[in-house]
Amino acid sequence: MRQRRWKTWALRGLGGVLLLVLVAIVAGWLYLRASLAQLDGERRGAGLGATVTVTRDAAGVPLISGASRADVAYATGFVHAQERFFQMDLLRRTAAGELAELFGPRALPLDRSRRLHRFRARAQDVLARLPAAERALLERYVAGVNDGLGALRTKPFEFLLTGTEARPWSAVDSLLVIWAMYIDLQGNQEARELARGWLREHSDPAQLAFLLPESSSWDTTLDAGTAAAAPGPAPLPPRAPAWWGAAPEKPAQLAGAAFVDSVGSNNHAIAGSRSASGAAIVSDDMHLGLQLPNIWYRLALSFPDPKGKDGRRRLVGVSLPGAPPTVIVGSNGQVAWAFTNSYADLVDLVALNTDPARPGQVRTPNGWETPADHVELIAVKGAASERFVVRETSLGPIREAGGRQYAVHWIAHDPQAINVNHLKLETAASVDEALGIAAIDGIPAQNFVAGDAQGNIGWTIGGLLPQRATPSLASTFPLEEGTPTWNALLPPASYPRVVNPAGGQITTANSRQLMGEGAALIGDGGFDLGARNRQLAEGVQALGQKVGMRQAFDAAQDDRALFIGRWRERALQALDAQALAGQPQRAEFRRLLEKSWTGHASVDSVGYRLARNYMWALNELLFGRANKALGELEPKTTLATATSRWPDVVARLLDARPAGWLPPGHADWRAVQLAAIDRVIADLGKDGQPLAKATWGQRNTATIAHPISIAVPALAPVLGAPADQLPGDSNMPRVAGPKFGQSERLTVSPGREEEGLYNMPGGQSGHPLSPFFLAGHKEWVRAEPVPLLPGAAKYTLRFVP
């Protein structure tokens, strides 16, 4: 009897526990649903002049229509906040150095590095100087953001999981979002200068010139420059530096196993003389870190404009939630525009001297000065706030590295670094007008490519450039005493331009833009190798005449392995009969290079992965000691940080086979290549995996997840995209890595937006219960574009005064 009672009570207890679990799940589900965006109905909007309508299609893409630009800005803010507020919060915190308030002490190192720049204080100054009309428009957006946040029935779920509150939005926060992009696009230039400085200190001038070539064999520039027009390669010195060769200990994993060439973006424009419609075609795919929600928010805006079609202006493209409320990349019906990172030289690390006789002072190129101290209090979740002191010179804040002090002289610190002139593109009527606006745009310096409805195309730099008194390579190293830095901005009238080139096309992909006049105005802040741009340029040229929208779109999805193909040929040459004798694993390596090679970075190709890792194994064998030392100087820094052109350096060595550069421990250069192949075999087989299973897709598997997974790792499977195997790689137009790649794909002709095409890796909403959370992801994986304009209205939300 007692045993029966015990079983009865045990079953009741288990049932009670299960019921509690079920109730908790239902309650959690209901709570999450309460923070979903409102899609239908009617709301009152404070300060509205007339009714604003937000219609969304089945994928959640809105068309926001109003009777004034200010009313449309309000509704844009409302929509952004309801779908993406946590993303917006992360962006402002990233720029301001306020992540520890969300994630605790582990975020402190990152916050300290960002507080150094005091962007929140700088944003207050910029806001105070904004013209009244622009500030008013920004304030209408802010009002919409805060009303959208307040209209949610519960705070966004991310704040519940982090145990924090959703702080209201401000106009200063919108400016901080632009500075977050400065950090993302230019934040590696300090590390590059430090890496180049280390090489200068540990190499003689001849060695340094050889290791850091000024141009690449792949360069194809907008002024029709080629490698033949570039500075010739430096002579090969008789001996290598003392640090030459592999690190003493064998690395646990090849550098090539990481996605290392994270430089981003392609764009191209095709003139009306070559398009099927006679209007220019502009195509853009910005390469950034991938997460959910996607960084961009697609939309269309409609408001009155006497210069627009039928008295209205329609904008279509992508916006950046939190930033001033306009289209970042897209079309206004008369002009379409696109961006890629320019990699202009925008940072100088200026070495500072001290003297015991001058306590508290430092010597800059401007003379001795006493830095100003600024106390920053960093709020830390679960701990006391940290007091962080920023010492700032006339050239910028002071940072330390390798036992030295440097002033960080960064264009992002300039009082004119941020403005809202990007809004002026909304009504640009021609390429010439758009290029003029780009030169005064307060954004990180970008390659700005535009095309208009008349078929004209053009390029310039959009964003601020420094005016250097004597442009030279010296500015790409830490500046020692006596080396000047810039002290003024380049006048907009001096910006380089290319308009309607003879070939009827413009392409940029983060590589050198110009070989001749104008190149020195941009400098070299870390250009890409150039293989990607050459492949894109040749691919667009091969489209010929009467180019259609889909052809232009597909040009950026080219995943042919032209760059890695050359390294495959080198590996095959090294694997001759002598190298294979008694070496079954090398024989299998060669077999897979031959048989599992598609000529593309395709997911089923083993040969592609082997050839790529062979190139990176050579990097470790030649630069391993330098990589180790550079990583100790600045985390995650390698020789590839100092120069993207290192593959050209290695290729020259393999061709010349100089005895003085043979890395220690190898009998000859053939032995070096075989050692690289053996290292790849050991690395890919370390878990007992057969080499034939090491496909590129196995390595290039997407891990795109919501950043809240950092705080709650158990939620990663729920908050992530499928583990898709992705074709593509760096050094080809279709850039794809596990967490980095084409953050959007947009192709459009101004005035013909109905024919425009689009992709992005995540959906419109950052909420996992939203039907829009992953809308469009499958199409992005397959590179099957969807229409750029929103489709038929499925949801309608009205705002009334």
Side-chain angles (χ1 to χ4, degrees), residues 653-678:
L653 290 171
L654 294 180
D655 291 338
R657 304 191 171 208
W661 286 77
L662 188 66
H666 301 279
D668 53 33
W669 281 97
R670 182 171 171 278
V672 174
Q673 295 182 78
L674 293 177
I677 290 167
D678 291 342

Side-chain angles (χ1 to χ4, degrees), residues 713-729:
L715 292 178
V718 179
L719 296 177
D724 302 293
Q725 294 192 351
L726 302 175
D729 191 14

Side-chain angles (χ1 to χ4, degrees), residues 44-60:
R44 291 197 176 275
L48 289 180
T51 299
V52 183
T53 303
V54 178
T55 59
R56 287 177 169 93
D57 66 10

